[in-house]
Amino acid sequence: MEIFLMITMIMVTGLIANVIGKLITWIPLAFIQIAAGMLLSLIPPLAHFQMQPELFLLIIIAPLLFNDSQNTKLSELVKQTKSTFAVAVILAIITIVVIGFVLNWRFGVFTLPLAIALSAIVTPTDAVAVKSVTISRQVPTDVMQSLEFESLFNDASGIVVFDIALTVLATNHFSLGAGLLNFGYVFFGGLLVGCVVGSLLLWLRLSLLTHNLGEATLLVPLSILTPFAVYLLAEHVGVSGILAVVATGMLHAYQQARLRLTSTRLQVVNKEVWTILSDTLNGFVFVILGLLLPNVVISMTQTSVALIPLCLFIADLIYAMMLFVRFMFVRLNFAGHNWHGRESWLFSLGGVHGTMTLAMAFSLPLQLGQSAFPFRTEIIFIAAAVIVLSLLVPAVVFPLVLPAKSLAFTQAELKHTRASMINYALNRLNDEDYDSRIQTMVRDNLRSQNGFFTGNQKELLRLIEGMNEANADAIDAAVHAGILPPEANKITKRLLVKYKHGHLFHGLWAMAQRVWFTKRRIKHIQSMPDFAERVAKIKAQHHELLDQVKEILTEATNTYLDEERTAQNREEIAMVHHIFIRRWSQYAQRTITEDMQTQLNDAYVQAFQFEYQYLQNQLSNNKISQGLAKELSEQVSSSELVQFEAGLLDGEV
């Protein structure tokens, strides 16, 4: 129960941080999430939160890297294979060695194996952290791709060297040949395991699709479980679980590219699920980082307060050396990019560190033989300081040297174009020869694409009450004039009762009475010899009455809204009109016959085609941008999928 409570509190904190990040856009979301985590550490159950590194890598890092790798552009990775290997392996090892030897030379208390262990901890870059500081900046494409590819693979380099350093610390023995052999086994073995297991899982996935068993409820959970299974298996055989997960993700990316149009619904659902899961785990990463930082500082103050300035100096020195080594490596063209000074500095500053570094720091053992592990608290503190520095420096420098990402469209443009698209489809639909109830239902659902009401709530309620009174008066007048039979009042009451506040019990009681009366009436009619003819006659009379009632209510509603219309309540008037249409369609839909279902399906397909046609025309005439057209096309596709799932595009009644 305590673990569940802690996870829930971290999730809620991440959600709150995301909301604040939407409101305060000039502060990187990562800093807001870290600050939220630090505030969360003040709550007693989380005041002494301890991270289990193995569990953290399995539950959070593995699925995040899997999602990043399955969304990787394989064609670009193939082009940059040599450069990716250079920065993920060669650059990582050079950085570890340089920093380790400098620390050992400058600070004698750090033995060479201990200094190498520290440098291995702070070397890996973090894919999530890299995105957090570049999300609002227009980073050159080749630099950004190199940073992303590097962060996918250099974790393994750091982890392998870190394990070798710990082994040397424990045994006081080092063999270069054995170290290189172990590095090759862990690194390339991880890639091999990921390819083999990933191929088996893809074979299983394709077999299910081939045998028509590829339902989203089966394959999406299989996709989610994939990184956990691959990571555990790789770690069990002693190779890099991180690289195994990345390799499996690459295979999934290859399969998705080949089967892009196969099982479209599955592709959409799988993408949306992974997007939600990735965003949630990304929030976890920095909230947990903020949750751990106060504990690191407290541990330092309890053990060696006097060493805090020295540890901060060491962190600054490490960060400066990493910047220098990274800059010189790409500037001297060891990565094969032929970059100039600006791109080289951007790459250097983009080497952001995150929770992978902190996870490795916390994985340091408490004991080394019979004594405590040397400087464990200080190393964790230095690693945390390097993380903060690597986030803070680019967050300050990038806005000064890089332009902001240009938006393909504004929210106002999106809203205006979407409304115009819907109106175009509705106007074209009016020219088609569809039943009035079909028109009403389709119009209602198309209008729902416009989103939520944001106007004056009190004015909206006033207009709804006024419309209800106008509707009731119009029907009463028609009944008294003999235009409508008395049964018309029953239809009006059923339409209006659920929109009046405080009448929930009355509505439920009325519904129960109708069900009881209908059952008794059906039993009575079924006993008659001409049952089928009577039912058909009753339905025809009811449909005719509905059309008459709708005509009178529509005229009454339009007259009332025209009288109440002002320059200030246009949005409220439009919303009331939408409510009237929605109210009627919900009532009319209960009376739709099986014969009308085909018309309804055709009308939906026709309406969506009109929307696509509008977007294509606007794009061809250069009235909207490519990005805006793509965004709205995806929204129309999602609407089609929703209607399909509701049974309105596949013949389901």
Side-chain angles (χ1 to χ4, degrees):
M1 187 64 183
E2 183 178 352
I3 295 177
F4 174 77
L5 179 62
M6 292 170 61
I7 294 175
T8 302
M9 293 172 69
I10 293 174
M11 288 185 66
V12 171
T13 303
L15 292 174
I16 295 174
N18 287 337
V19 173
I20 297 174
K22 295 291 184 182
L23 300 175
I24 309 176
T25 57
W26 54 274
I27 299 178
L29 180 60
F31 288 100
I32 297 176
Q33 292 168 334
I34 290 173
M38 295 176 71
L39 291 175
L40 188 62
S41 67
L42 300 176
I43 300 177
L46 295 169
H48 302 288
F49 176 79
Q50 294 294 327
M51 179 175 65
Q52 300 295 329
E54 297 82 4
L55 197 60
F56 179 81
L57 291 174
L58 171 65
I59 295 179
I60 296 181
I61 299 299
L64 281 177
L65 289 179
F66 176 78
N67 185 54
D68 286 340
S69 57
Q70 74 174 349
N71 291 322
T72 299
K73 296 179 179 178
L74 292 182
S75 59
E76 295 298 328
L77 180 60
V78 171
K79 293 179 183 177
Q80 299 190 34
T81 300
K82 292 183 179 180
S83 61
T84 300
F85 180 81
V87 296
V89 179
I90 299 175
L91 174 59
I93 294 176
I94 291 176
T95 304
I96 292 170
V97 172
V98 170
I99 294 176
F101 274 92
V102 171
L103 290 178
N104 175 248
W105 166 71
R106 182 64 181 82
F107 305 98
V109 292
F110 284 118
T111 62
L112 184 57
L114 189 61
I116 293 292
L118 174 56
S119 58
I121 288 173
V122 298
T123 294
T125 55
D126 191 302
V128 178
V130 169
K131 292 179 180 179
S132 70
V133 298
T134 59
I135 190 170
S136 62
R137 297 289 114 187
Q138 193 68 44
V139 183
T141 304
D142 53 348
V143 175
M144 193 64 211
Q145 284 182 345
S146 185
L147 288 171
E148 291 178 350
F149 294 155
E150 176 194 24
S151 62
L152 285 176
F153 295 98
N154 72 349
D155 294 340
S157 301
I159 291 173
V160 172
V161 177
F162 175 70
D163 290 338
I164 293 174
L166 290 184
T167 302
V168 174
L169 278 171
T171 62
N172 290 319
H173 175 72
F174 173 70
S175 170
L176 180 61
L180 291 175
L181 185 63
N182 182 57
F183 181 89
Y185 172 75
V186 173
F187 190 94
F188 294 105
L191 293 176
L192 180 62
V193 169
C195 290
V196 172
V197 178
S199 298
L200 292 175
L201 290 173
L202 288 182
W203 172 81
L204 174 61
R205 181 187 178 98
L206 289 173
S207 298
L208 293 173
L209 286 170
T210 303
H211 292 85
N212 297 322
L213 297 174
E215 298 179 359
T217 53
L218 180 62
L219 292 184
V220 173
L222 177 63
S223 176
I224 294 174
L225 292 174
T226 294
F228 305 115
V230 172
Y231 181 88
L232 289 173
L233 181 60
E235 290 292 323
H236 180 71
V237 298
V239 298
S240 173
I242 294 297
L243 282 180
V245 166
V246 170
T248 302
M250 297 290 182
L251 288 177
H252 277 69
Y254 176 71
Q255 185 209 37
Q256 289 173 3
R258 293 184 60 192
L259 304 178
R260 192 169 301 279
L261 297 180
T262 301
S263 185
T264 306
R265 174 179 176 272
L266 174 62
Q267 299 279 356
V268 172
V269 173
N270 190 66
K271 181 179 179 180
E272 291 300 322
V273 169
W274 269 108
T275 299
I276 295 171
L277 182 61
S278 176
D279 290 344
T280 303
L281 293 178
N282 281 334
F284 258 59
V285 166
F286 291 107
V287 170
I288 290 176
L289 179 58
L291 194 58
L292 292 170
L293 287 178
N295 289 333
V296 173
V297 176
I298 291 173
S299 298
M300 278 295 295
T301 57
Q302 291 175 346
T303 56
S304 51
V305 180
L307 290 179
I308 291 181
L310 178 60
C311 290
L312 290 175
F313 173 75
I314 293 174
D316 292 336
L317 178 62
I318 289 174
Y319 183 65
M321 285 191 291
M322 282 193 294
L323 287 181
F324 177 75
V325 173
R326 290 174 63 84
F327 173 80
M328 293 304 298
F329 188 84
V330 294
R331 189 67 181 88
L332 295 176
N333 201 27
F334 290 134
H337 289 300
N338 294 314
W339 286 339
H340 298 293
R342 182 175 181 270
E343 290 81 4
S344 300
W345 276 118
L346 291 176
F347 177 81
S348 302
L349 292 169
V352 184
H353 309 280
T355 44
M356 176 63 72
T357 291
L358 206 59
M360 292 172 63
F362 273 97
S363 68
L364 288 169
L366 296 174
Q367 298 287 327
L368 188 62
Q370 299 297 320
S371 58
F373 191 93
F375 304 109
R376 183 179 187 273
T377 301
E378 289 79 2
I379 290 175
I380 295 175
F381 181 83
I382 292 171
V386 170
I387 292 173
V388 174
L389 272 174
S390 69
L391 285 167
L392 187 61
V393 173
V396 174
V397 175
F398 280 175
L400 300 177
V401 299
L402 292 173
K405 284 185 177 178
S406 57
L407 297 175
F409 52 87
T410 64
Q411 287 301 312
E413 291 174 334
L414 175 64
K415 185 176 181 180
H416 173 74
T417 307
R418 182 170 55 206
S420 300
M421 175 189 73
I422 294 171
N423 289 333
Y424 174 83
L426 293 178
N427 291 333
R428 290 292 305 273
L429 200 63
N430 286 336
D431 299 334
E432 303 295 323
D433 187 21
Y434 289 117
D435 183 273
S436 60
R437 280 166 291 168
I438 298 296
Q439 292 263 12
T440 300
M441 283 182 279
V442 176
R443 291 172 66 90
D444 173 49
N445 276 328
L446 286 186
R447 283 197 173 97
S448 68
Q449 292 174 311
N450 260 328
F452 298 102
F453 172 72
T454 57
N456 188 312
Q457 193 73 24
K458 291 183 179 180
E459 175 67 5
L460 177 67
L461 293 176
R462 184 188 73 80
L463 291 172
I464 291 175
E465 292 296 333
M467 179 185 64
N468 288 343
E469 293 178 5
N471 286 173
D473 292 342
I475 295 298
D476 284 340
V479 171
H480 290 316
I483 300 174
L484 293 177
E487 288 80 4
N489 274 319
K490 297 180 180 180
I491 297 176
T492 309
K493 289 180 180 179
R494 293 174 188 174
L495 283 169
L496 301 183
V497 67
K498 64 178 179 178
Y499 289 93
K500 294 182 179 180
H501 298 285
H503 288 278
L504 176 62
F505 175 77
H506 175 73
L508 293 174
W509 174 249
M511 182 177 68
Q513 286 180 315
R514 290 198 304 272
V515 172
W516 177 80
F517 175 77
T518 301
K519 286 184 176 181
R520 292 199 60 182
R521 189 179 181 188
I522 289 175
K523 288 182 179 180
H524 174 69
I525 294 176
Q526 284 178 338
S527 62
M528 299 179 179
D530 53 348
F531 168 69
E533 290 79 3
R534 286 177 175 268
V535 169
K537 183 178 180 180
I538 291 173
K539 284 185 177 181
Q541 292 173 347
H542 184 63
H543 290 160
E544 182 180 356
L545 178 60
L546 282 178
D547 290 337
Q548 293 175 329
V549 170
K550 180 191 174 185
E551 182 178 355
I552 293 175
L553 290 181
T554 301
E555 182 179 355
T557 298
N558 291 336
T559 301
Y560 169 75
L561 293 179
D562 288 340
E563 294 173 353
E564 296 293 326
R565 191 185 309 274
T566 65
Q568 290 75 31
N569 68 356
R570 291 179 180 176
E571 185 175 358
E572 290 78 9
I573 290 288
M575 188 62 187
V576 173
H577 190 264
H578 170 71
I579 289 173
F580 170 76
I581 295 175
R582 183 178 185 84
R583 168 193 303 183
W584 183 260
S585 68
Q586 288 176 343
Y587 182 84
Q589 192 167 3
R590 297 200 300 261
T591 65
I592 188 171
T593 64
E594 188 171 348
D595 296 336
M596 296 169 62
Q597 186 64 44
T598 302
Q599 289 190 51
L600 182 60
N601 296 343
D602 292 341
Y604 272 118
V605 172
Q606 191 75 31
F608 290 132
Q609 288 303 316
F610 287 147
E611 291 186 334
Y612 284 126
Q613 182 180 345
Y614 175 83
L615 294 176
Q616 185 61 44
N617 292 340
Q618 294 294 101
L619 185 61
S620 300
N621 295 326
N622 295 321
K623 293 184 177 180
I624 60 175
S625 64
Q626 185 76 34
L628 180 55
K630 180 181 178 182
E631 173 67 23
L632 286 173
S633 294
E634 290 178 353
Q635 291 186 12
V636 177
S637 297
S638 298
S639 299
E640 283 188 292
L641 182 63
V642 169
Q643 294 303 123
F644 180 84
E645 288 301 306
L648 297 178
L649 295 182
D650 60 354
E652 189 178 314
V653 180

